[in-house]
Amino acid sequence: MATLGNNIIVQIQSGQNWVAVGASRTDEIQVDGEQIEIASKTSGKWREFLTGRNTWSVQTSYLVTAASDIRELLKVNTTVRLRIGGSTMATGDYLTGYAIIKTQKLTAPIGGLANGTIVFLGNGALG
């Protein structure tokens, strides 16, 4: 059965508590694998690869709920612990890992809703 996007939550650890990224609208979770090309005398004109290391990132878009949210822009290059999973965060229903806040962007159109984007770059394993 399909699940709605609002059932997937991105949370940041704050002390002993987990806090959802507030007013989140869209979350994108991406895991990439590296491929290392190798030379082989038997491959002829075909390329061959070995698998390398993995990377991951999370991008979340959110609505700005208060003007004080502008201070969040200063958290770039901060390391945080993330938890990504179903809204109930049942055991085995989520992934955790440390990430660096790579990008913080705030867009405030005249006459429109202010919104922001955060890009988290995985710093180690996601599991």
Side-chain angles (χ1 to χ4, degrees):
M1 175 180 258
T3 189
L4 296 174
N6 59 338
N7 289 330
I8 305 296
I9 308 294
V10 175
Q11 297 178 325
I12 298 174
Q13 188 172 26
S14 178
Q16 296 298 317
N17 299 317
W18 291 95
V19 180
V21 174
S24 179
R25 292 182 20 205
T26 304
D27 299 318
E28 295 178 17
I29 299 109
Q30 182 169 329
V31 178
D32 294 306
E34 175 184 38
Q35 295 78 40
I36 303 165
E37 187 170 0
I38 60 172
S40 169
K41 63 182 177 180
T42 61
S43 64
K45 63 181 181 178
W46 296 100
R47 297 168 70 187
E48 290 185 37
F49 298 91
L50 293 174
T51 57
R53 296 165 56 165
N54 297 335
T55 61
W56 62 276
S57 63
V58 174
Q59 179 172 320
T60 185
S61 300
Y62 62 94
L63 293 176
V64 176
T65 57
S68 61
D69 288 349
I70 197 166
R71 300 218 38 93
E72 296 294 312
L73 296 172
L74 302 178
K75 292 185 178 179
V76 167
N77 274 340
T78 301
T79 298
V80 296
R81 187 167 183 219
L82 295 182
R83 181 164 74 171
I84 307 154
S87 57
T88 63
M89 293 293 172
T91 303
D93 192 23
Y94 59 86
L95 300 169
T96 59
Y98 287 93
I100 297 167
I101 298 175
K102 179 181 177 186
T103 305
Q104 286 266 46
K105 178 181 175 183
L106 191 136
T107 305
I110 294 174
L113 293 173
N115 60 81
T117 303
I118 305 172
V119 177
F120 299 95
L121 176 62
N123 190 15
L126 178 66

